[in-house]
Amino acid sequence: MSGMSTGLEANDQTVVSAFHRALLTQGLVILLILMLVGVVWILLRAFQLSRGVTSQGAAPAASPSPFTFPEPAARRLLRLSFGALWIFDGVLQSQPKMPLGMGPDVIQSTAAASPAWVQHLDNALLTVWNYHPIATATAAVWIQLGIGVWLLAAPRGNWSRLAGLASVLWGLNVWVFGEAFGGIFAPGLTWLFGAPGAAVFYCVAGVLIALRESAWTTPRTGRIVLRGMGVFFVGMAVLQAWPGRGFWQGEPRAGAVSGTLTTMIREMSETPQPHLLSSLVRSFGGFVATHGWEVNLFAVIALAAIGTTFLAARPSLVRAGVIAGCVLCLADWILIEDFGFFGGIGTDPNSMIPMALVFVAGYLAITRVPVLATSEADAHATTQQAPARPWRERLRADPAYAFRALAALAALAITAVGAVPMALAATEPHADRIIAEAVDGTPNAVDLSATPFTLLDQHGQPVSLTALHGRAIALTFLDDVCTSDCPIIAQEFRLADGMLGADARRVELIAVDANPLYIAPDYLAAFDRQEGLEGVPNWLYLTGSLAQLKSVWSSYGATVEYSPGGAMIAHSESADVIDGDGHIRYVLDTDPGPGTGASKSSFAVTLADALESAIHSS
Amino acid sequence: MIAEGTSGAERRSAPRVIVLALPALTAILLAACGSPSRTPSGSAAPSIPTPLATSVQTSAGTWATVAMGHLNQPLNTFWQLLFRPAGGTSWSNQVQATAAATNGGLVLASARGRGLLVGVRPTNLLTFSPLIFTSDAGRSWSTGLLGEGLVAHPDALAANSASQLLALVSARAGTQVLSSNSGLSWWRTSITTSALAATVSGRSCGLASITAVAYINGTALAGGSCSRPGVLGIFSERAGSWRLLEAAPPSSLEGDRIEVLALQAGGDGVGALLGISDGSAISLVAAWYVDGRWSSSRALPLSASDEVSSFGPTRGNGIFVLLRASSGPAQLAVASGPGAGWQQLAPPPAGTATVAFGPASSVEALAVQDTVLSVWTLTAHSREWVHGQTIKVPIEFGSSE
């Protein structure tokens, strides 16, 4: 996936500031929505009180609550803990490095070891993220905060189940695109590093929350969860024991090839984090380096033993397995996963906490089930919800329902505040202007007279600037044997031309040769062939005698100098946008910076905008 | 309403466990399939790499090209064009004359000693090769253009005069020989590798690649690598038709696979540096084609750790080879002319990138360390290199990125 990034530093101040501005703006929108919801709640409550509905829902007619038993403990654990985790993840997504760091440092690096088809799939998201870093980064913040709030605020009923479904959908999205399927198709898959990815457990929890609550009234659901986790743990034990995967090896001697686990822990210890943590992880890494075989043996036995207790699904055995599992997960989380969220681009606390929550929920589901009713009538009351009443009536008569519904709507609105701009951005094939702004700053608005000149084009035909009056012009200076920036700038011009659509007929794209030696039209034609510019009808690459060129360079403030030591000709990189009356309206810095697809597209958008403006200003 | 304990049957259901286990086992197998596996290594690399660092002589003086800068970073490696005027003792850097980034390397060709043709190899986003030519010791340069990129061989360019030229370029259809009879910008395809391989001569050689071009008495030559043992792949062009040189190769090469590394015109003949492989060992042989007959030097064996770092012409018809070993000093071997054997000169100083012959009977070593070029001189009958000139090259790191 080479080139699949913006190429900018993750802490680029222009982008970080824009990210913070967008978060603030969207946060204000959310605040307004919350205030609106609050007003609606006050009005609704006033209405309910006027009808004599108490906070317990004791309406004159009948008890409005459809639930005859409290929320099952396992479900409550999952809902509250994963609600909190989504909020925590949302907060992590607001770290300054997210807009530019998420693509290369998380999505791309996670997918790098996976097969080509996984990388290809992830490229889809990567392109959207790199082209629209602000919209996508803010979306990740609000969607995750929204889901978290939703899970916390809607404890029962369909609103709550929908929150579980939202958790599944977003979790799947994160698992496929953000975690490259948790690396299950990549070599080196291991439970110790978090396989099969944290998002899988968010999905599992979401599915369990989305179940009808009656599913929790027998231990069956709990047993399915535990047996599923049991198979998973035993499978991971087999994988951990599989020979030839580098896990039985520490670091036989200094300088020798390190085992997989040793290497991983060392990398983790180098993540920016408090010294205490890095020294702890480093110490454990040293232990693994000298006792790699023993550590792996322990991991294999522990995983197999815990998995076996889960498969048994007997409370006494499971209890021991759950305790051991929690201890193992905690140890792995601290000593190997290094908490998972340090370094400025950690997106979640990794897999150990959510995994432990899932099997603890499984344990609660078999040990703390709602009491089975003794009579048929009680059984019906216990396992079945009360007959559904129209939602309008429940809204009027049930304060708890009204609060849940409004809270869920508010959470949905928070999610939408992030999701809608991201969805709109995803349909936009061109990159945001912010990338070009980060590289080159904003275009300089000026009003200067463009100095007339006459030069030869790439076909040897004379071209006069005066003869082009009435058309908007983008004028730049390109070295025809340049090996880096000039071909990229030419591509940006071509992209901008495509973005102009029908308006391109009112525009001329002009480059003046910026090499004092290779000034024959042959070189310009070779450059055009190289860049595929031969078919662009409004592209003119101009040259002339050295004296003529020097005069044009001077008129437009372009510097062109020989460089020592085998470097290419040094020349200034800018473009003048000239309107139809021959006035320079904008001066753009054309330094292509990293020259990625995103930065090229972003510059082209900026140039096309300036040209559109010049077209309509004359 | 919450009760501790369980209810319902606690019997373990074996089939259910198996059903649950299947996806996990599938995942494990998938993961195991995703484990690192050995991949077959490629075998298309040439048997002997052909370095671009070299020196050539013209009547105006000696020219040399060496790589400087951060040599492990292609875009921070900059090739220099050095010149020592005839009769002079000091070198100057003329690379500015290229007016282009030289990260891809420079290819030098002497136009029968009367001028110098320099090709700038493409690099990074540039795909074609600018050319410059001087016949007045670099005081003025004319420019030209190859629409495709010069290949990375030191003899990828040949000039019989300022207007009769040969070039070896890499095109979509593979390596091609281009020729020009009217200057630096009017080129036509003379032959492609595949077309040459399909000729009777090409088939009898089993031509694998074309590696060098030269002129002999105005006749174009192309040298390559033959897969058929004992065949020397040097072709000449007559009236648009390419044929193997008729003379039988030196008998000492019978049964060996031969790769032409260099072709250099000199006097009435041509000298060649050949890479020889007998299946178990690789060696270098200098050979000369004069008056329709081949003569050759003894073989210069290459050990597994030897790396050819430069070769080129000596004064007269000789050929030098600079070898760098992974440990120990470099070797400088010279085959002075037809029938001569390899003579080992004193090991050149560390960092020697190439050598140049002259002034008089001395040899100069151009040693590179990052941005500093040191010139060392070995006088006749001496065993000690003497440090002379130092040139600090102001390399603009990062300018090509």
Side-chain angles (χ1 to χ4, degrees):
Chain A
M1 292 196 283
S2 58
M4 292 300 295
S5 76
T6 60
L8 296 169
E9 293 290 327
N11 56 2
D12 181 276
Q13 278 311 302
T14 305
V15 175
V16 170
S17 300
F19 179 47
H20 287 159
R21 277 198 307 276
L23 280 177
L24 190 64
T25 309
Q26 292 172 342
L28 287 172
V29 171
I30 286 167
L31 196 62
L32 282 173
I33 292 170
L34 292 178
M35 286 166 67
L36 188 66
V37 170
V39 168
V40 171
W41 167 247
I42 290 165
L43 292 175
L44 194 62
R45 193 71 194 107
F47 174 75
Q48 288 172 340
L49 288 170
S50 71
R51 293 184 65 201
V53 179
T54 66
S55 59
Q56 280 73 41
S63 169
S65 173
F67 304 107
T68 54
F69 55 88
E71 184 184 14
R75 187 181 189 279
R76 190 167 63 241
L77 172 75
L78 291 174
R79 187 177 56 76
L80 295 178
S81 57
F82 278 89
L85 279 175
W86 276 126
I87 290 175
F88 183 66
D89 294 354
V91 172
L92 286 178
Q93 287 289 345
S94 67
Q95 294 174 100
K97 288 182 178 176
M98 280 299 163
L100 295 175
M102 182 76 177
D105 297 340
V106 178
I107 303 172
Q108 198 170 344
S109 70
T110 308
S114 295
W117 69 268
V118 175
Q119 296 183 26
H120 186 70
L121 189 66
D122 280 6
N123 271 353
L125 174 71
L126 201 53
T127 303
V128 174
W129 193 290
N130 289 330
Y131 274 46
H132 312 286
I134 305 298
T136 45
T138 52
V141 173
W142 298 122
I143 289 173
Q144 295 184 174
L145 283 176
I147 293 172
V149 170
W150 195 351
L151 283 168
L152 293 177
R156 311 296 295 269
N158 287 340
W159 284 113
S160 181
R161 295 176 64 199
L162 277 175
L165 198 61
S167 187
V168 174
L169 292 176
W170 186 252
L172 269 178
N173 178 57
V174 172
W175 188 60
V176 173
F177 295 109
E179 295 183 350
F181 297 93
I184 62 170
F185 301 109
L189 181 74
T190 171
W191 181 89
L192 297 172
F193 299 166
V200 164
F201 298 103
Y202 286 65
C203 292
V204 170
V207 167
L208 293 171
I209 293 165
L211 291 176
R212 293 178 70 89
E213 286 195 25
S214 58
W216 300 95
T217 55
T218 70
R220 186 167 173 270
T221 303
R223 278 202 295 271
I224 291 173
V225 170
L226 285 171
R227 284 181 176 146
M229 291 302 289
V231 170
F232 166 69
F233 268 77
V234 171
M236 288 292 113
V238 172
L239 202 58
Q240 197 64 33
W242 206 280
R245 302 181 72 238
F247 288 106
W248 289 106
Q249 171 185 345
E251 189 176 65
R253 61 188 180 283
V257 177
S258 299
T260 314
L261 190 56
T262 311
T263 308
M264 172 75 176
I265 295 172
R266 281 192 182 141
E267 284 173 7
M268 294 302 281
S269 69
E270 285 160 14
T271 308
Q273 60 188 306
H275 175 70
L276 180 69
L277 296 179
S278 63
S279 62
L280 189 67
V281 174
R282 204 172 294 119
S283 303
F284 183 67
F287 180 77
V288 174
T290 51
H291 301 88
W293 194 89
E294 291 86 346
V295 169
N296 198 50
L297 182 67
F298 173 79
V300 169
I301 292 171
L303 288 169
I306 292 166
T308 306
T309 65
F310 290 169
L311 282 171
R314 289 168 194 262
S316 54
L317 273 176
V318 170
R319 189 178 301 119
V322 164
I323 292 168
C326 285
V327 171
L328 190 66
C329 284
L330 203 60
D332 190 281
W333 188 50
I334 296 168
L335 296 174
I336 296 177
E337 290 189 346
D338 196 13
F339 295 93
F341 55 86
F342 288 108
I345 47 168
T347 54
D348 57 47
N350 220 322
S351 62
M352 290 300 150
I353 299 299
M355 185 193 308
L357 287 168
V358 169
F359 64 69
V360 169
Y363 171 71
L364 289 177
I366 63 166
T367 57
R368 291 168 67 87
V369 293
V371 173
L372 288 176
T374 49
S375 72
E376 193 177 325
D378 286 348
H380 181 80
T382 306
T383 58
Q384 300 297 318
Q385 293 180 357
R389 294 189 298 160
W391 65 270
R392 284 193 193 84
E393 190 185 326
R394 293 179 68 190
L395 211 56
R396 283 195 293 265
D398 183 352
Y401 176 81
F403 180 80
R404 282 200 305 272
L406 285 176
L409 279 174
L412 202 57
I414 294 173
T415 306
V417 164
V420 170
M422 183 177 73
L424 291 175
T427 61
E428 173 58 58
H430 310 305
D432 290 349
R433 287 174 195 80
I434 190 68
I435 299 167
E437 200 178 308
V439 176
D440 293 321
T442 48
N444 226 357
V446 295
D447 186 4
L448 303 166
S449 209
T451 308
F453 59 78
T454 300
L455 294 169
L456 296 178
D457 70 11
Q458 61 268 46
H459 312 295
Q461 301 300 312
V463 173
S464 159
L465 190 68
T466 315
L468 298 173
H469 273 193
R471 302 167 72 81
I473 293 168
L475 174 70
T476 192
F477 297 85
L478 300 179
D479 172 5
D480 45 8
V481 297
C482 164
T483 61
S484 56
D485 289 4
C486 296
I488 297 172
I489 296 167
Q491 290 302 322
E492 291 172 345
F493 269 56
R494 194 171 73 152
L495 273 174
D497 195 49
M499 290 173 191
L500 289 169
D503 279 347
R505 285 181 298 217
R506 302 168 66 187
V507 167
E508 291 291 339
L509 306 173
I510 298 179
V512 174
D513 192 0
N515 188 303
L517 184 63
Y518 305 106
I519 56 177
D522 291 352
Y523 294 99
L524 312 184
F527 181 91
D528 285 359
R529 275 196 302 278
Q530 173 185 273
E531 299 307 318
L533 288 160
E534 301 151 293
V536 180
N538 54 342
W539 167 256
L540 294 168
Y541 198 174
L542 307 182
T543 189
S545 67
L546 186 56
Q548 285 175 310
L549 287 172
K550 280 182 173 174
S551 167
V552 177
W553 297 338
S554 166
S555 301
Y556 286 83
T559 56
V560 178
E561 292 168 354
Y562 279 93
S563 299
M568 70 185 94
I569 292 293
H571 63 90
S572 47
E573 294 181 327
S574 68
D576 295 336
V577 174
I578 304 168
D579 67 16
D581 298 328
H583 286 91
I584 301 171
R585 292 293 179 187
Y586 297 99
V587 178
L588 285 74
D589 193 330
T590 58
D591 181 348
T596 61
S599 65
K600 280 192 275 193
S601 176
S602 180
F603 177 83
V605 168
T606 308
L607 180 60
D609 283 353
L611 282 165
E612 287 281 10
S613 175
I615 289 169
H616 297 110
S617 71
S618 55
Chain B
M1 296 288 282
I2 300 291
E4 285 287 339
T6 60
S7 64
E10 286 289 347
R11 285 175 308 193
R12 201 182 300 177
S13 168
R16 195 172 293 165
V17 171
I18 290 168
V19 168
L20 287 169
L22 276 175
L25 286 173
T26 309
I28 291 165
L29 286 174
L30 277 172
C33 290
S35 299
S37 59
R38 288 173 188 278
T39 52
S41 57
S43 57
S47 52
I48 300 172
T50 47
L52 293 180
T54 192
S55 63
V56 298
Q57 271 103 40
T58 65
S59 56
T62 303
W63 296 85
T65 181
V66 295
M68 296 186 73
H70 301 162
L71 304 186
N72 57 344
Q73 300 170 9
L75 292 182
N76 279 322
T77 296
F78 291 87
W79 288 77
Q80 308 302 315
L81 179 63
L82 302 156
F83 178 62
R84 186 192 63 209
T89 54
S90 64
W91 291 82
S92 61
N93 195 350
Q94 304 283 319
V95 73
Q96 202 162 287
T98 61
T102 60
N103 309 94
L106 300 175
V107 177
L108 311 186
S110 168
R112 299 182 72 186
R114 290 191 288 271
L116 179 81
L117 177 63
V118 180
V120 181
R121 286 202 64 247
T123 179
N124 205 3
L125 300 177
L126 185 70
T127 59
F128 57 91
S129 280
L131 301 170
I132 54 173
F133 180 86
T134 182
S135 56
D136 58 5
R139 282 187 289 277
S140 64
W141 295 87
S142 51
T143 64
L145 167 74
L146 284 163
E148 314 283 356
L150 272 170
V151 300
H153 289 290
D155 288 324
L157 272 180
N160 194 44
S161 65
S163 59
Q164 194 181 12
L165 312 165
L166 287 171
L168 206 50
V169 298
S170 178
R172 279 187 190 161
T175 303
Q176 299 181 349
V177 178
L178 304 185
S179 63
S180 171
N181 288 319
S182 49
L184 299 176
S185 291
W186 301 96
W187 296 87
R188 65 174 183 85
T189 302
S190 188
I191 190 108
T192 65
T193 303
S194 54
L196 186 55
T199 62
V200 173
S201 288
R203 286 198 301 274
S204 68
C205 146
L207 183 70
S209 60
I210 304 177
T211 53
V213 288
Y215 278 103
I216 175 171
N217 299 327
T219 300
L221 296 182
S225 173
C226 290
S227 59
R228 183 161 295 182
V231 181
L232 175 53
I234 297 179
F235 303 81
S236 65
E237 187 208 19
R238 285 192 196 280
S241 161
W242 289 83
R243 292 195 179 90
L244 279 172
L245 286 182
E246 287 175 0
S251 57
S252 60
L253 305 182
E254 275 179 21
D256 295 334
R257 288 183 199 282
I258 308 168
E259 179 184 14
V260 176
L261 302 178
L263 281 176
Q264 57 190 52
D268 292 331
V270 65
L273 180 66
L274 310 174
I276 308 297
S277 169
D278 64 3
S280 59
I282 294 175
S283 55
L284 299 176
V285 168
W288 293 269
Y289 180 75
V290 181
D291 297 333
R293 296 182 61 185
W294 281 103
S295 60
S296 67
S297 70
R298 282 181 288 106
L300 175 68
L302 296 183
S303 72
S305 64
D306 283 337
E307 184 186 327
V308 180
S309 55
S310 177
F311 51 73
T314 65
R315 284 196 177 280
N317 287 337
I319 292 173
F320 78 84
V321 174
L322 184 65
L323 299 177
R324 185 166 47 212
S326 54
S327 60
Q331 294 179 56
L332 176 58
V334 174
S336 55
W342 289 102
Q343 180 194 357
Q344 293 282 353
L345 303 187
T352 298
T354 193
V355 297
F357 285 75
S361 55
S362 64
V363 185
E364 289 187 325
L366 306 180
V368 171
Q369 185 172 22
D370 199 40
T371 60
V372 177
L373 180 97
S374 302
V375 182
W376 298 75
T377 305
L378 181 72
T379 52
H381 312 302
S382 169
R383 294 292 298 169
E384 196 170 325
W385 292 86
V386 177
H387 182 251
Q389 190 181 359
T390 298
I391 300 174
K392 179 93 171 70
V393 179
I395 286 179
E396 296 186 353
F397 291 110
S399 61
S400 290
E401 293 172 329

